[in-house]
Amino acid sequence: MKRTIDAPRLFLWLLHGVTVAQQVAPEAAGKPGGDPVEAMVAAMAAAEQKVTSVQLELRTKMMLVDGFEMSTRGVLRVLRGTQSAVHTVFEFASGDGIRGRVESAQTADGILIHEDDPLFGEVFLRIPPKVVADLEWAGRVLRLDHLPGMADPRAESPLGAAMVAELRRHFTFVVDKTRDRRGNDVGTWLLGSRKPGLDDDDPALPLADRVALFVRESDQALLEVVHRRGEQVLQQLEVVALVTGVDLPAGGFTVDGRGQKPREVQQFAPLWEQIEAVLQQAEARSEQLAEERNAKLPPEQRVPAELRPSRR
């Protein structure tokens, strides 16, 4: 079960991802400091503020701890602004022959997902806006992004600034001065070594002990990330193509159900049970954070725990 569904599903929602990534604060772009790596992240964040639409073609490879291999290839389309929308379509394949395809679209009307995998066959689901709002909240509280509706780091940070910023939580980076190209692209290679004394309970703690990444100079886009443990490559992300300012009509963000009508997500137990469990975890974490915060405040300044949006 874990090999056929859970691992692929995790990878699917991390389409381009290597770890949880948080949005880079816009003000960071104005405070680069003297660190060349920090300045690079700031330049990437500044460039991202100008992006109104982007289309990415990506491929990933992942080696799980038990030697199980997983690869994906797909396209991510993002429209930002008043009619923001995200569309993804990609295929996954495992080292032992498991294959599948997932297409999803997120708009103000919620999320549509069509998944075709070996265990459940074809499934066409709809996640309504209220559930999406709850998932966005839970993702923020728990710092997770593995379920649909949670903040997608590459959609929110299409040039990859958030991913680089998050990697800096666990790795110390230096500029690789021995090379400045990746194929025909000119840019900067960064080499990261894992920081000592990290919290083993951190859910985002990487397995890798070092990482390398490449940022293209012309558009400040992250094009490659490679995680290694010793000499073994654990994860690799490659951006095959990236175009910003592409024309993406808002009406084009939909999903082909292949003749099926979408079911409400509550009717599909495998995903709905995951959603319910995560929302309960987020509520417990919200209570814990409120208790910790209120313990430091006088009674008149204490506030209750933040509720999920659907219960406010």
Side-chain angles (χ1 to χ4, degrees):
M1 177 77 73
K2 181 176 181 181
R3 284 191 170 188
T4 56
I5 289 299
D6 290 354
R9 191 184 300 278
L10 173 64
F11 220 126
L12 302 182
W13 297 113
L14 289 176
L15 174 61
H16 43 279
V18 287
T19 185
V20 178
Q22 301 298 316
Q23 184 78 20
V24 177
E27 60 267 20
K31 301 177 181 180
D35 183 348
V37 180
E38 184 176 351
M40 175 178 293
V41 174
M44 294 173 71
E48 283 178 338
Q49 299 304 310
K50 303 175 184 178
V51 174
T52 57
S53 64
V54 63
Q55 179 167 304
L56 291 161
E57 182 180 351
L58 307 112
R59 59 189 176 200
T60 66
K61 292 182 180 179
M62 183 178 186
M63 177 70 74
L64 302 184
V65 291
D66 60 356
F68 182 66
E69 296 181 11
M70 179 66 61
S71 63
T72 71
R73 184 169 184 132
V75 176
L76 169 70
R77 300 161 62 238
V78 180
L79 181 64
R80 308 172 85 189
T82 57
Q83 291 183 301
S84 60
V86 179
H87 177 267
T88 63
V89 56
F90 55 99
E91 299 177 346
F92 65 86
S94 69
D96 55 4
I98 297 170
R99 297 181 180 276
R101 180 183 184 276
V102 174
E103 182 178 3
S104 69
Q106 180 170 351
T107 66
D109 295 326
I111 298 175
L112 288 174
I113 307 168
H114 181 273
E115 182 171 345
D116 187 357
D117 66 52
L119 185 58
F120 295 110
E122 287 193 57
V123 180
F124 191 25
L125 302 175
R126 175 181 177 268
I127 304 179
K130 287 185 178 181
V131 177
V132 174
D134 282 350
L135 283 165
E136 290 176 344
W137 170 79
R140 177 173 54 81
V141 172
L142 297 173
R143 300 189 70 186
L144 295 176
D145 66 351
H146 69 287
L147 288 176
M150 292 181 172
D152 184 326
R154 196 81 200 205
E156 294 194 4
S157 178
L159 299 184
M163 187 177 292
V164 178
E166 176 64 15
L167 286 169
R168 293 181 72 207
R169 290 181 56 228
H170 301 115
F171 296 92
T172 299
F173 283 95
V174 296
V175 175
D176 183 354
K177 297 182 179 180
T178 66
R179 51 179 177 165
D180 62 358
R181 289 182 177 273
R182 176 182 176 269
N184 295 325
D185 293 314
V186 177
T188 301
W189 281 96
L190 298 178
L191 303 178
S193 56
R194 185 164 166 169
K195 294 179 178 179
L198 296 175
D199 182 5
D200 290 336
D201 294 328
D202 183 352
L205 188 65
L207 295 174
D209 51 38
R210 55 197 178 96
V211 64
L213 58 87
F214 177 81
V215 177
R216 185 165 58 190
E217 182 180 290
S218 61
D219 55 6
Q220 302 298 319
L222 177 65
L223 298 187
E224 185 171 350
V225 181
V226 182
H227 277 223
R228 287 186 172 88
R229 183 171 55 194
E231 296 303 316
Q232 181 186 14
V233 175
L234 298 180
Q235 301 180 46
Q236 184 171 10
L237 153 75
E238 292 182 272
V239 175
V240 179
L242 184 154
V243 182
T244 60
V246 62
D247 184 20
L248 299 175
F253 286 80
T254 187
V255 173
D256 180 5
R258 298 182 179 179
Q260 298 186 42
K261 291 185 178 180
R263 285 190 283 165
E264 295 299 306
V265 68
Q266 294 89 336
Q267 299 173 4
F268 185 63
L271 182 54
W272 182 243
E273 289 173 358
Q274 292 184 59
I275 290 173
E276 281 285 273
V278 166
L279 293 180
Q280 292 173 12
Q281 292 172 18
E283 288 177 330
R285 178 58 176 161
S286 181
E287 290 282 354
Q288 179 185 6
L289 291 172
E291 291 177 1
E292 293 174 356
R293 181 175 60 250
N294 289 334
K296 303 175 183 179
L297 298 173
E300 65 275 10
Q301 295 183 16
R302 294 172 184 173
V303 295
E306 183 182 14
L307 300 175
R308 66 171 84 170
S310 64
R311 294 184 175 177
R312 295 173 189 169

